[in-house]
PDB file of all heavy atoms in Angstrom:
ATOM      1  N   ALA W 141       1.571 -44.852 115.883  1.00  0.00           N
ATOM      2  CA  ALA W 141       1.235 -45.709 114.739  1.00  0.00           C
ATOM      3  C   ALA W 141       1.419 -47.184 115.104  1.00  0.00           C
ATOM      4  O   ALA W 141       0.578 -48.026 114.783  1.00  0.00           O
ATOM      5  CB  ALA W 141       2.099 -45.342 113.541  1.00  0.00           C
ATOM      6  N   ARG W 142       2.514 -47.491 115.793  1.00  0.00           N
ATOM      7  CA  ARG W 142       2.740 -48.879 116.229  1.00  0.00           C
ATOM      8  C   ARG W 142       1.658 -49.319 117.203  1.00  0.00           C
ATOM      9  O   ARG W 142       1.154 -50.453 117.129  1.00  0.00           O
ATOM     10  CB  ARG W 142       4.117 -49.009 116.884  1.00  0.00           C
ATOM     11  CG  ARG W 142       5.285 -48.970 115.907  1.00  0.00           C
ATOM     12  CD  ARG W 142       6.566 -49.438 116.567  1.00  0.00           C
ATOM     13  NE  ARG W 142       6.946 -48.580 117.682  1.00  0.00           N
ATOM     14  CZ  ARG W 142       7.694 -47.491 117.576  1.00  0.00           C
ATOM     15  NH1 ARG W 142       8.136 -47.102 116.381  1.00  0.00           N
ATOM     16  NH2 ARG W 142       7.996 -46.772 118.634  1.00  0.00           N
ATOM     17  N   ALA W 143       1.298 -48.445 118.129  1.00  0.00           N
ATOM     18  CA  ALA W 143       0.275 -48.785 119.119  1.00  0.00           C
ATOM     19  C   ALA W 143      -1.074 -49.056 118.459  1.00  0.00           C
ATOM     20  O   ALA W 143      -1.854 -49.887 118.945  1.00  0.00           O
ATOM     21  CB  ALA W 143       0.137 -47.650 120.136  1.00  0.00           C
ATOM     22  N   GLU W 144      -1.344 -48.378 117.359  1.00  0.00           N
ATOM     23  CA  GLU W 144      -2.611 -48.570 116.632  1.00  0.00           C
ATOM     24  C   GLU W 144      -2.522 -49.715 115.623  1.00  0.00           C
ATOM     25  O   GLU W 144      -3.509 -50.038 114.961  1.00  0.00           O
ATOM     26  CB  GLU W 144      -2.992 -47.280 115.896  1.00  0.00           C
ATOM     27  CG  GLU W 144      -3.333 -46.108 116.813  1.00  0.00           C
ATOM     28  CD  GLU W 144      -4.756 -46.167 117.329  1.00  0.00           C
ATOM     29  OE1 GLU W 144      -5.392 -47.245 117.241  1.00  0.00           O
ATOM     30  OE2 GLU W 144      -5.250 -45.136 117.837  1.00  0.00           O
ATOM     31  N   GLY W 145      -1.338 -50.315 115.498  1.00  0.00           N
ATOM     32  CA  GLY W 145      -1.166 -51.404 114.537  1.00  0.00           C
ATOM     33  C   GLY W 145      -1.170 -50.922 113.105  1.00  0.00           C
ATOM     34  O   GLY W 145      -1.485 -51.682 112.180  1.00  0.00           O
ATOM     35  N   VAL W 146      -0.804 -49.654 112.895  1.00  0.00           N
ATOM     36  CA  VAL W 146      -0.808 -49.051 111.560  1.00  0.00           C
ATOM     37  C   VAL W 146       0.612 -49.065 110.988  1.00  0.00           C
ATOM     38  O   VAL W 146       1.550 -48.576 111.619  1.00  0.00           O
ATOM     39  CB  VAL W 146      -1.341 -47.602 111.629  1.00  0.00           C
ATOM     40  CG1 VAL W 146      -1.128 -46.882 110.308  1.00  0.00           C
ATOM     41  CG2 VAL W 146      -2.819 -47.604 111.991  1.00  0.00           C
ATOM     42  N   LYS W 147       0.746 -49.609 109.784  1.00  0.00           N
ATOM     43  CA  LYS W 147       2.066 -49.722 109.161  1.00  0.00           C
ATOM     44  C   LYS W 147       2.201 -48.890 107.890  1.00  0.00           C
ATOM     45  O   LYS W 147       3.279 -48.849 107.289  1.00  0.00           O
ATOM     46  CB  LYS W 147       2.362 -51.188 108.844  1.00  0.00           C
ATOM     47  CG  LYS W 147       2.426 -52.078 110.083  1.00  0.00           C
ATOM     48  CD  LYS W 147       2.741 -53.518 109.722  1.00  0.00           C
ATOM     49  CE  LYS W 147       2.821 -54.391 110.966  1.00  0.00           C
ATOM     50  NZ  LYS W 147       3.120 -55.814 110.648  1.00  0.00           N
ATOM     51  N   ASN W 148       1.138 -48.237 107.481  1.00  0.00           N
ATOM     52  CA  ASN W 148       1.156 -47.481 106.225  1.00  0.00           C
ATOM     53  C   ASN W 148       1.256 -45.973 106.456  1.00  0.00           C
ATOM     54  O   ASN W 148       0.610 -45.170 105.785  1.00  0.00           O
ATOM     55  CB  ASN W 148      -0.067 -47.812 105.366  1.00  0.00           C
ATOM     56  CG  ASN W 148      -1.383 -47.575 106.093  1.00  0.00           C
ATOM     57  OD1 ASN W 148      -1.491 -47.804 107.289  1.00  0.00           O
ATOM     58  ND2 ASN W 148      -2.404 -47.135 105.366  1.00  0.00           N
ATOM     59  N   THR W 149       2.081 -45.584 107.442  1.00  0.00           N
ATOM     60  CA  THR W 149       2.334 -44.167 107.708  1.00  0.00           C
ATOM     61  C   THR W 149       3.835 -43.920 107.786  1.00  0.00           C
ATOM     62  O   THR W 149       4.608 -44.822 108.095  1.00  0.00           O
ATOM     63  CB  THR W 149       1.714 -43.704 109.043  1.00  0.00           C
ATOM     64  OG1 THR W 149       2.230 -44.519 110.105  1.00  0.00           O
ATOM     65  CG2 THR W 149       0.206 -43.786 109.024  1.00  0.00           C
ATOM     66  N   SER W 150       4.216 -42.692 107.506  1.00  0.00           N
ATOM     67  CA  SER W 150       5.586 -42.249 107.744  1.00  0.00           C
ATOM     68  C   SER W 150       5.523 -40.784 108.150  1.00  0.00           C
ATOM     69  O   SER W 150       4.568 -40.078 107.821  1.00  0.00           O
ATOM     70  CB  SER W 150       6.451 -42.418 106.491  1.00  0.00           C
ATOM     71  OG  SER W 150       5.964 -41.626 105.424  1.00  0.00           O
ATOM     72  N   PHE W 151       6.528 -40.350 108.895  1.00  0.00           N
ATOM     73  CA  PHE W 151       6.520 -38.995 109.435  1.00  0.00           C
ATOM     74  C   PHE W 151       7.883 -38.334 109.220  1.00  0.00           C
ATOM     75  O   PHE W 151       8.914 -38.998 109.290  1.00  0.00           O
ATOM     76  CB  PHE W 151       6.173 -39.020 110.931  1.00  0.00           C
ATOM     77  CG  PHE W 151       4.849 -39.657 111.222  1.00  0.00           C
ATOM     78  CD1 PHE W 151       4.764 -41.009 111.537  1.00  0.00           C
ATOM     79  CD2 PHE W 151       3.680 -38.919 111.167  1.00  0.00           C
ATOM     80  CE1 PHE W 151       3.541 -41.607 111.793  1.00  0.00           C
ATOM     81  CE2 PHE W 151       2.450 -39.506 111.416  1.00  0.00           C
ATOM     82  CZ  PHE W 151       2.379 -40.860 111.734  1.00  0.00           C
TER      83      PHE W 151
END
Side-chain angles (χ1 to χ4, degrees):
R142 286 194 298 272
E144 294 278 16
V146 170
K147 297 181 179 180
N148 56 324
T149 57
S150 62
F151 302 93

